[in-house]
Amino acid sequence: MTDAQPLATVREGDAAAFDRIMSARHSCRAFRPDPVPRATIEAILTTAQKTASWNNTQPWQVTIASGAARDRFRAAMVERASSGGAHASDLPFPRDYLGVYLDRRRACGFQLYGAVGIARGDKDAYRRQTLRNFELFDAPHIAIVTTDEVIGVYGAVDCGAYVSNFMSAAQAHGVGTIAQAALAVHADLVRELMGIPEGRQVVCGISFGFADTDAPVNSYRTPRASLEEAVRWLEE
């Protein structure tokens, strides 16, 4: 078989379907209250479980809270965030945002604030919007993704791939998602609330449910860099 020939297992329409799912997925920041059926959640998890990992270690573990458990988690996280409690993340956050990373971060923020009608420079409104992270954007479910500390940084890398695949699988089932590193800022409280043992590092949360498609906050989409910005080709 030459490089120009497709794999025999590729079916017509697969590439277009995958691109359509990737293009449709976005960070959902407003959800309907109705829960996602357990069978649908298990189907999403089954697909995400196929994620590739270093030496097939599959370091991710997922804890999902719904119903009263989700309500307790949300209330405690809002209380901690509102009180200005000290940050206790397991993984280092970015030291800084410089150059194009700062430009993209600012553009994303301005799109969000514009969608919800927050005037530039309104710091009180900024803080209220930030608090929405800990309110889980009213999602009926929250998944906490953890890795084993002994696996090191590549365990977190593998979990990142898992999170992406979880969100893509959810999109394929008509379920909205948003990955939330903000929850990992209070990793100690997350472990306590979710019964996660020491040694498991909190990577992020994923709030998920059916998107409120009428909410203005779900109306915008962030752009992606061109291939020219992201890819270098070396052939000689």
Side-chain angles (χ1 to χ4, degrees), residues 97-111 223:
Y97 292 92
L98 302 173
V100 69
Y101 310 119
L102 179 60
D103 294 341
R104 292 170 183 165
R105 186 172 188 249
R106 282 176 171 167
C108 179
F110 290 144
Q111 281 185 278

Side-chain angles (χ1 to χ4, degrees), residues 13-235:
D14 280 358
F18 183 67
D19 185 74
R20 186 167 60 251
I21 290 167
M22 292 288 288
S23 298
R25 191 215 61 81
H26 66 99
S27 292
C28 181
R29 290 182 171 87
F31 294 87
R32 292 170 11 209
D34 41 319
V36 178
R38 174 65 70 89
T40 301
I41 298 175
E42 291 182 353
I44 293 167
L45 292 166
T46 298
T47 298
Q49 194 62 28
K50 298 177 174 69
T51 299
S53 61
W54 184 294
N55 287 326
N56 198 33
T57 50
Q58 305 174 61
W60 51 81
Q61 289 185 4
V62 187
T63 304
I64 298 175
S66 307
R70 170 268 191 191
D71 295 343
R72 287 193 299 271
F73 179 85
R74 169 180 152 145
M77 294 299 290
V78 168
E79 181 179 3
R80 170 70 73 86
S82 300
S83 68
H87 291 186
S89 60
D90 293 329
L91 303 174
F93 271 52
R95 293 192 306 273
D96 204 351
Y97 292 92
L98 302 173
V100 69
Y101 310 119
L102 179 60
D103 294 341
R104 292 170 183 165
R105 186 172 188 249
R106 282 176 171 167
C108 179
F110 290 144
Q111 281 185 278
L112 168 59
Y113 298 145
V116 296
I118 296 176
R120 188 171 298 192
D122 187 343
K123 294 183 179 180
D124 287 339
Y126 290 172
R127 282 190 288 270
R128 288 194 299 271
Q129 183 61 40
T130 297
L131 195 62
R132 290 287 292 152
N133 282 280
F134 303 97
E135 295 171 349
L136 313 179
F137 302 105
D138 301 325
H141 309 281
I142 176 64
I144 299 297
V145 181
T146 66
T147 185
D148 196 310
E149 183 273 334
V150 301
I151 301 296
V153 66
Y154 284 101
V157 171
D158 290 340
C159 285
Y162 177 92
V163 169
S164 181
N165 289 335
F166 179 102
M167 294 191 296
S168 296
Q171 181 66 41
H173 285 275
V175 175
T177 59
I178 181 168
Q180 295 180 262
L183 303 180
V185 166
H186 303 296
D188 57 335
L189 181 59
V190 171
R191 269 192 298 274
E192 176 186 338
L193 294 169
M194 294 292 210
I196 297 170
E198 295 294 331
R200 297 296 308 177
Q201 294 183 318
V202 177
V203 177
C204 70
I206 308 173
S207 288
F208 66 98
F210 297 114
D212 180 353
T213 55
D214 294 327
V217 74
N218 284 334
S219 66
Y220 74 95
R221 299 292 182 267
T222 52
R224 294 295 181 267
S226 67
L227 293 185
E228 288 73 16
E229 295 175 88
V231 180
R232 294 174 62 227
W233 301 91
L234 303 177
E235 296 180 349

